Amino acid sequence: MQRMHIPTTTTIAVALVVLAAGSAQAQSLPDDFVYLRDLDPGIRQDIRYAGVNNFVGRPLAGYDANECIVKRSVGLALQNVQRELAQQRLSLKMLDCYRPARASRDMVAWAQDGRETEAQRRYNPGFSKRDLFRLGYIAEVSGHSTGAAVDLTIVDLRAPKGPAFDPNRVYADCTAPESRRAPEDSVDMGAGYDCSDAKAHTAAKSITADQRRWRKLLVAAMARQGFVNFSKEWWHFSLPGVGKQAYDFPIARRMR
């Protein structure tokens, strides 16, 4: 018969200290980084590289939680954008925020692995994934790793909730009409998130008037808080002057 071990008061106290230390480590962020939820829990989050609904088809290295982490000044500026949009019954939805440098290295390895799948082709329908770096759609060193860049879109709070992404369903590519491409539960910007195509360029001519109106609304609201849009991606914005250093700490679950 196995002898039963009854924990002493000292053992329990030590265990609690270890658990507390682990929680503190999971929440510890360097150099003025913050969880966006701590500043504005109303901003929606769908951090795509923390799941399977992205061009790689799996979580990227370092994305251990569906959490948006940014520099505090970026978070405060996003909070101001959210307040403006709320007056129109709209909300921001974060798609990517701080990106660990290891995730960018993961992207590099993926782009060079020589394999193409239908799911991946949804994001770059016009060319091979090995051309993504040459064409400027993926960078070996990303501004996201500084905490100053974000990917986001707009949700119309008056609209019914859209369908969930189904990893087993075959969707049309990211340039297709909204009803045929993968659902994003946001306004129709004319091309899906992370779409490597001219149709995703912010000033693309091949989109409808309504789609152009949504893009202009997002760009204008972000610009009023100092954000600059990347012309090849309607979803990508950065806040100049926040910082140039790239970081590589993993995105841990927020414990509060």
Side-chain angles (χ1 to χ4, degrees), residues 60-79:
L60 285 178
Y63 281 82
D64 300 334
N66 178 33
E67 290 288 353
C68 173
I69 295 173
V70 289
K71 286 283 191 172
R72 180 175 296 276
S73 57
V74 173
L76 292 173
L78 290 171
Q79 187 178 41

Side-chain angles (χ1 to χ4, degrees), residues 9 16 80 251:
T9 303
L16 290 174
N80 288 336
I251 299 171

Side-chain angles (χ1 to χ4, degrees), residues 131-139 230 232-233:
D131 294 323
L132 289 171
F133 289 95
R134 178 178 60 83
L135 297 173
Y137 288 104
I138 295 179
F230 176 46
K232 286 189 174 183
E233 299 175 346

Side-chain angles (χ1 to χ4, degrees), residues 126-246:
F127 47 85
S128 171
K129 69 182 186 180
R130 67 175 177 270
D131 294 323
L132 289 171
F133 289 95
R134 178 178 60 83
L135 297 173
Y137 288 104
I138 295 179
E140 292 191 31
V141 179
S142 172
H144 282 278
S145 298
T146 69
V150 292
D151 295 342
L152 42 69
T153 188
I154 291 175
V155 174
D156 187 346
L157 300 177
R158 297 160 296 188
K161 184 174 177 58
F165 173 76
D166 182 353
N168 298 312
R169 180 177 170 182
V170 177
Y171 295 104
D173 71 60
C174 57
T175 66
E178 182 185 31
S179 61
R180 295 175 51 209
R181 63 180 188 260
E184 298 190 318
D185 196 22
S186 56
V187 302
D188 182 9
M189 292 289 190
Y193 171 58
D194 257 356
C195 187
S196 300
D197 188 88
K199 195 172 183 180
H201 295 185
T202 308
K205 304 297 183 183
S206 55
I207 59 176
T208 68
D210 281 345
Q211 292 162 352
R212 186 171 296 107
R213 178 177 64 84
W214 283 121
R215 292 189 188 189
K216 287 183 176 180
L217 188 154
L218 178 60
V219 170
M222 295 292 285
R224 280 190 283 273
Q225 299 301 325
F227 288 97
V228 176
N229 174 245
F230 176 46
S231 63
K232 286 189 174 183
E233 299 175 346
W234 59 256
W235 56 82
H236 180 96
F237 294 84
S238 58
L239 193 62
V242 170
K244 296 182 179 180
Q245 179 183 347

Side-chain angles (χ1 to χ4, degrees), residues 51-120:
V52 299
N53 186 14
N54 57 61
F55 61 83
V56 179
R58 58 168 173 78
L60 285 178
Y63 281 82
D64 300 334
N66 178 33
E67 290 288 353
C68 173
I69 295 173
V70 289
K71 286 283 191 172
R72 180 175 296 276
S73 57
V74 173
L76 292 173
L78 290 171
Q79 187 178 41
N80 288 336
V81 176
Q82 179 76 352
R83 286 170 177 163
E84 177 184 335
L85 293 179
Q87 297 175 11
Q88 305 171 64
R89 297 193 65 187
L90 303 173
S91 173
L92 290 175
K93 182 162 80 168
M94 311 308 299
L95 302 170
D96 192 31
C97 300
Y98 158 73
R99 180 184 303 166
R102 70 192 72 180
S104 294
R105 295 193 294 269
D106 199 1
M107 288 183 183
V108 172
W110 166 82
Q112 297 175 346
D113 67 13
R115 297 190 297 271
E116 297 274 357
T117 69
E118 286 301 316
Q120 293 168 358

